[in-house]
Amino acid sequence: CSCFTQSTDFVKWLSPDESANYNFTKLYAQEAQLMFFEKYNLLASDIIHPRSVRSDFGWLKPVSFLGIILIYGKIAALTTYKILPFLTPFFAAIGIIFYYLLIKEIFGQRNALFSALILSVFQPYLYYSARSMFHNVLLVVLLVISLYLACLSVKKKKIVTDINKVDTLTAKILPNFLAGLSGIFLGLTIITRTSELIWLIPVWLILWLFNIKRFSLIKLMIFIACMLFALSPAMYWNKILYQS
């Protein structure tokens, strides 16, 4: 019944964190800004602000990780801000597909199918898929995509173009390209929830050590360069917002 009393632009969030993320994402999509001015804070010593928002000399800024705001904001800028509540469920569905592909590469098709089916009804995954402006699902999906691409980059596979010929150029370029894409998605993973570096760093270090021969120095350099490229928007805005 409440739907009949709400405006067409009504959006309700059950968490202050989600509300703040949504409003700053919408602001970034529409105006390419991540802060706005509240003049009365100059008189009130910066105490006028919602939860999950900070005020610096009147400028209201997000206190959340910037990744989800930048990623969703860019998507909304290219489409419409009305898509924002549906992006996390969309990425959750994409995540199940890439999870299937990742498990298939490591443990085979049968195990991958069962794993994907279990993930599709996994309660925490479903719960956080419904909390559209939380970071959790986006973090997991971006990480799974990065792992899948990294797995492909170390897979020994010849691309045959003729009975007696192998396209060696493609065979050399494609793994490096996949390593670069993996680095980009890992960078997006990091900016989505930077505090997870406490376990992301050792996990990726262990994976690299176990694949040090197949993941060559060139791949590693491309991987790191692309990861830093994906990190740069968050570092740029972090400097603007917090001078750090």
Side-chain angles (χ1 to χ4, degrees):
C1 297
S2 61
C3 291
F4 293 102
T5 64
Q6 297 170 1
S7 65
T8 55
D9 292 330
F10 180 84
V11 178
K12 182 180 180 180
W13 303 101
L14 301 179
S15 162
D17 292 339
E18 283 189 287
S19 298
N21 284 337
Y22 174 77
N23 288 312
F24 281 110
T25 303
K26 182 179 177 182
L27 178 67
Y28 181 69
Q30 294 178 328
E31 302 181 19
Q33 292 293 329
L34 285 180
M35 56 183 173
F36 58 94
F37 189 67
E38 171 53 67
K39 63 180 181 180
Y40 293 110
N41 266 329
L42 298 179
L43 304 175
S45 302
D46 288 318
I47 65 171
I48 305 173
H49 61 84
R51 184 178 168 181
S52 303
V53 177
R54 63 182 282 179
S55 178
D56 292 333
F57 304 102
W59 288 98
L60 298 180
K61 306 172 182 179
V63 298
S64 175
F65 302 106
L66 298 179
I68 192 171
I69 298 174
L70 296 175
I71 296 170
Y72 283 4
K74 184 57 67 175
I75 295 174
L78 297 175
T79 53
T80 171
Y81 75 90
K82 294 182 179 180
I83 201 176
L84 291 175
F86 310 104
L87 286 177
T88 293
F90 171 76
F91 276 104
I94 296 295
I96 295 174
I97 296 174
F98 276 94
Y99 184 65
Y100 166 82
L101 295 173
L102 175 63
I103 300 300
K104 180 183 176 183
E105 288 292 328
I106 303 173
F107 299 110
Q109 185 174 0
R110 181 182 177 86
N111 290 324
L113 180 60
F114 280 110
S115 299
L117 290 175
I118 292 172
L119 180 61
S120 66
V121 295
F122 188 50
Q123 291 90 340
Y125 195 73
L126 294 176
Y127 173 78
Y128 283 107
S129 297
R131 306 302 293 269
S132 301
M133 297 308 296
F134 275 175
H135 315 82
N136 308 62
V137 168
L138 182 62
L139 168 83
V140 171
V141 172
L142 292 173
L143 178 60
V144 167
I145 295 175
S146 179
L147 287 169
Y148 172 66
L149 293 170
C151 185
L152 289 183
S153 70
V154 299
K155 185 178 180 181
K156 294 182 180 180
K157 184 177 180 181
K158 294 184 178 180
I159 304 173
V160 180
T161 58
D162 191 72
I163 297 177
N164 298 317
K165 294 181 179 180
V166 176
D167 190 347
T168 54
L169 182 62
T170 304
K172 290 181 179 179
I173 292 178
L174 185 59
N176 293 333
F177 176 73
L178 292 172
L181 282 179
S182 178
I184 288 176
F185 278 98
L186 180 59
L188 295 177
T189 302
I190 293 170
I191 67 173
T192 298
R193 195 172 178 85
T194 315
S195 61
E196 306 303 326
L197 279 173
I198 194 171
W199 62 269
L200 283 174
I201 291 176
V203 164
W204 277 92
L205 181 60
I206 292 171
L207 289 174
W208 178 69
L209 289 175
F210 274 99
N211 295 274
I212 192 169
K213 291 183 178 180
R214 290 187 290 175
F215 205 81
S216 62
L217 181 60
I218 295 178
K219 287 182 186 177
L220 181 62
M221 293 175 63
I222 295 173
F223 177 86
I224 294 176
C226 290
M227 182 185 67
L228 293 175
F229 173 76
L231 289 172
S232 59
M235 293 190 290
Y236 168 79
W237 279 105
N238 208 69
K239 180 65 176 177
I240 290 177
L241 293 172
Y242 316 114
Q243 293 77 51
S244 173

